[in-house]
Amino acid sequence: MNGIVIIAHAPLASALRQCVAHVFPDRVGGVQAVDVQAQASTAQSLAQAQEAAAHFGAAPLLLLTDVLGATPCNVARQLQAGRAAQLLAGVNLPMLLRAVTYQHEPLEALAARALQGGTQGVQLLPGA
């Protein structure tokens, strides 16, 4: 099964993982969170991300990050290098819940489903 690692500005990654624990308590073990602290160096954050990824051994990884081009995304890109991993920026709760639901699918299909869940989860709702 694919591992899911959320790498985001603190405390977003942990908060999203807590949401998974609330909705899918039996699946939270398949999700790791790395909160990138403001004062941490990129090297320190990468070490944390590598530790989180090690939880899944050689399993493929879906990496979710918050802001394209920001430090968490850069850390995720470094973690992605040299391993079976897909990286999505712009993580949100609908994306994560979709990913957890389809975590067993092949990595490319999982990434596509997560992306679809994230984009479909953003809607403009008309006022009353």
Side-chain angles (χ1 to χ4, degrees):
M1 181 170 343
N2 302 297
I4 299 172
V5 180
I6 310 162
I7 305 170
H9 292 90
L12 183 59
S14 292
L16 286 169
R17 187 174 187 274
Q18 288 175 352
C19 290
V20 171
H22 175 78
V23 178
F24 296 115
D26 59 324
R27 300 270 187 90
V28 74
V31 179
Q32 291 291 305
V34 177
D35 286 315
V36 175
Q37 303 295 326
Q39 70 280 8
S41 70
T42 301
Q44 290 170 321
S45 297
L46 179 58
Q48 286 183 292
Q50 289 168 332
E51 185 177 322
H55 176 79
F56 300 111
L61 295 179
L62 179 64
L63 305 173
L64 304 175
T65 190
D66 51 0
V67 180
L68 179 64
T71 300
C73 184
N74 295 334
V75 167
R77 281 186 178 272
Q78 290 179 53
L79 185 62
Q80 181 184 25
R83 70 175 300 147
Q86 292 281 320
L87 172 59
L88 295 175
V91 66
N92 60 32
L93 186 55
M95 176 187 290
L96 178 57
L97 295 179
R98 182 76 59 98
V100 170
T101 301
Y102 294 100
Q103 196 167 1
H104 63 281
E105 290 194 358
L107 182 59
E108 292 75 20
L110 172 61
R113 286 196 186 264
L115 180 60
Q116 183 180 38
T119 57
Q120 289 177 346
V122 177
Q123 300 284 323
L124 176 63
L125 302 177

